[in-house]
Amino acid sequence: MRTQVAIIGGGPSGLLLGQLLHRKGIDTVVLERKTKDYVLGRIRAGILEVGMVDLMREAGVGDRMDRECFVHDGTLISYGDDLFGINFKDHTDTSVVVYGQTEVTRDLYDAREASGAPILYNTEDVAIHDADGDAPHVTYRVAGQDHRIDCDFIAGCDGFHGVSRQTIPLSVRREYEKVYPFGWLGILSETPPVNDELIYASSDRGFALCSMRNANLSRYYIQCSLSDSPDDWTDAAFWDELRRRIPASEAEALITGPSIEKSIAPLRSFVTEPMRWGRLFLCGDAAHIVPPTGAKGLNTAASDVHYLYHGLLHRYADGDDDGLERYSERALARIWKAERFSWWFTNLMHRYPDQSEFDLKMQQAEIAFLRDNRDAQAVMAQNYVGLPY
Ligand code: RFL
Ligand code: PHB
């Protein structure tokens, strides 16, 4: 088989890139290790920046999002019982939207299937060959049969555990990582959200987040120990702990119900440089991870897709390689700022096992500064709604 761009990974990065390219007449093949149902079963991001929203529209998959999403003009932050708001719209004239990654991915799968562009599931042993030459190819196996795709370029959209990043030789690749000493236990429940806005809550017992998917679907998280397993937490224990970490006014209003999903995510900051090696381009979680506190994971994947899409477009439309040559530099410049924001917001809101009394006072003072200072709120708002592409 031959294609112009082989896309490894059928998560949001790979599907969005594929859809954007398809609309410009550029052929792609998407290779996904799992099944569509498996990918759609993963509950992940909930907040989209305006850049991601615009890309979904540009890809022709914005209609359901525009109908069903919820626009959020701000967020709430609490420390104990002290609750205050940061208004994004006032500071940036921009909002974010609540539209779950599951829905984003579903819309992209529907569009790909409707377009007839190829997507291969259950691909095993995907391997990238000659990415540093002029004629790269990808090999893989499906149901015991070996296959090969020849291509012009390869987009490595295969997430943190994929093969694409590993293909870049260690002599070229540099990795930066910070692993946090806690995780997030998340549940999804068919209950109305406790508040119209998200609440990022810091408390003596650790961090909590009240988020949502729609008027009757709530997503809540609590900071947990890395040694915890979801089975250690009954629903009742989860709700009790959440109530202790959010302001009393909110705890009283909280409507609880059975969880329909419960999982633990570790928290990590990670960046690999460069994001391009020859004709291989890394996109999204394949190249970088943020702790979810700033809601940046999916949104940084989208900015990579934006830079790569435009690079490929210029290459195919007018033979101009500048966008591809500068892909890594452009993508990384924005990634590092999103990494910094996610790291800062994580440090501000979580309890650390080795935290001293002094460290705690510093956190409290910084949260109070954010509560009282318009400029600090403007900085937070600019980062949360997303820096320009
Ligand atoms: P994905 O979504 O991981 O998709 C990669 C796809 O590649 C496939 N794959 C392969 N396919 C073929 N061959 C191989 N060798 C392959 N290896 C892997 C995988 O099966 C998968 O389908 O990466 P992508 O597309 O870059 O998208 C990134 C986002 O998914 C990610 O940044 C966010 O979900 C991160 N994230 C969150 N981000 C937010 O903005 N807000 C959140 O609340 C949030 N919650 C989360 C998260 C990530 C989590 N993880 C990684 C466990 C919660 C969790 C639990
Ligand atoms: C979510 O709704 O899953 C969510 C929202 C905001 C975050 C992280 C996760 O910062």
Side-chain angles (χ1 to χ4, degrees):
M1 200 189 316
R2 192 183 150 82
T3 191
Q4 289 174 297
V5 184
I7 299 178
I8 305 178
S13 308
L15 293 170
L16 182 58
L17 179 68
Q19 189 59 21
L20 287 162
L21 293 174
H22 172 77
R23 283 169 66 92
K24 295 291 179 185
I26 298 169
D27 290 338
T28 62
V29 175
V30 173
L31 295 93
E32 168 55 48
R33 179 163 60 181
K34 305 281 191 180
T35 62
K36 174 175 155 185
D37 286 345
Y38 179 92
V39 176
L40 290 177
R42 296 188 293 211
I43 310 293
R44 289 186 171 182
I47 299 283
L48 308 186
E49 295 174 354
V50 69
M52 168 85 191
V53 168
D54 288 346
L55 269 184
M56 289 284 284
R57 291 183 186 138
E58 196 175 344
V61 288
D63 289 353
R64 191 165 73 96
M65 175 188 71
D66 283 331
R67 276 196 315 274
E68 296 181 10
C69 78
F70 293 83
V71 175
H72 281 230
D73 289 342
T75 192
L76 295 169
I77 293 183
S78 69
Y79 186 86
D81 282 334
D82 189 10
L83 181 68
F84 62 95
I86 295 187
N87 190 310
F88 305 146
K89 192 96 185 155
D90 278 358
H91 291 288
T92 66
D93 210 21
T94 312
S95 309
V96 293
V97 308
V98 168
Y99 191 66
Q101 181 167 332
T102 312
E103 307 312 319
V104 167
T105 314
R106 193 189 305 280
D107 294 342
L108 287 164
Y109 271 123
D110 288 350
R112 182 131 195 128
E113 283 165 8
S115 74
I119 175 158
L120 311 169
Y121 297 104
N122 297 311
T123 55
E124 293 164 34
D125 296 335
V126 169
I128 295 169
H129 308 270
D130 302 331
D132 56 339
D134 288 335
H137 68 278
V138 176
T139 55
Y140 60 98
R141 188 173 317 124
V142 176
Q145 292 268 358
D146 290 324
H147 300 270
R148 168 178 171 140
I149 301 177
D150 291 280
C151 54
D152 301 332
F153 300 102
I154 299 163
C157 303
D158 47 354
F160 186 62
H161 301 287
V163 294
S164 299
R165 184 177 69 253
Q166 310 295 342
T167 303
I168 302 180
L170 281 170
S171 56
V172 176
R173 180 160 40 109
R174 176 115 195 244
E175 297 185 343
Y176 303 83
E177 182 173 52
K178 178 179 175 68
V179 176
Y180 297 83
F182 39 73
W184 278 19
L185 170 65
I187 70 163
L188 195 64
S189 76
E190 285 167 329
T191 51
V194 64
N195 195 296
D196 291 344
E197 296 293 8
L198 271 70
I199 306 173
Y200 289 88
S202 179
S203 82
D204 293 343
R205 300 181 66 91
F207 172 78
L209 171 62
C210 306
S211 183
M212 64 200 74
R213 292 293 176 272
N214 61 46
N216 199 41
L217 192 57
S218 297
R219 181 77 165 147
Y220 295 103
Y221 299 94
I222 54 174
Q223 175 185 349
C224 66
S225 161
L226 279 175
S227 57
D228 285 2
S229 118
D231 299 337
D232 300 338
W233 286 86
T234 61
D235 288 354
F238 181 93
W239 294 121
D240 282 347
E241 189 56 36
L242 178 65
R243 274 195 210 92
R244 292 188 193 109
R245 296 185 187 194
I246 60 180
S249 57
E250 304 302 310
E252 277 158 30
L254 182 70
I255 298 175
T256 63
S259 63
I260 55 173
E261 195 264 358
K262 194 186 285 166
S263 53
I264 292 182
L267 268 68
R268 182 195 304 272
S269 297
F270 174 89
V271 181
T272 192
E273 291 187 345
M275 285 172 59
R276 171 200 174 192
W277 184 57
R279 287 172 176 256
L280 168 64
F281 298 83
L282 302 181
C283 250
D285 279 15
H288 42 77
I289 298 288
V290 285
T293 325
K296 291 286 168 247
L298 181 57
N299 292 304
T300 46
S303 61
D304 294 350
V305 167
H306 164 89
Y307 295 120
L308 183 53
Y309 165 57
H310 285 281
L312 288 166
L313 212 55
H314 284 123
R315 161 67 191 239
Y316 282 115
D318 32 65
D320 177 359
D321 272 344
D322 186 60
L324 292 180
E325 295 288 345
R326 296 187 54 200
Y327 167 72
S328 179
E329 172 197 329
R330 283 187 176 142
L332 283 165
R334 190 174 186 279
I335 293 307
W336 276 115
K337 292 176 191 153
E339 289 282 344
R340 187 210 63 83
F341 174 67
S342 305
W343 162 85
W344 167 79
F345 201 28
T346 302
N347 286 339
L348 184 67
M349 300 300 287
H350 290 74
R351 284 288 169 283
Y352 282 72
D354 60 352
Q355 200 163 22
S356 69
E357 292 289 304
F358 181 83
D359 296 337
L360 201 53
K361 284 287 186 194
M362 291 298 99
Q363 272 187 339
Q364 289 167 354
E366 190 162 0
I367 294 174
F369 185 68
L370 186 60
R371 181 193 60 205
D372 300 336
N373 187 286
R374 253 191 87 76
D375 294 337
Q377 291 181 8
V379 170
M380 155 79 191
Q382 283 163 21
N383 281 281
Y384 196 92
V385 302
L387 299 173
Y389 287 178

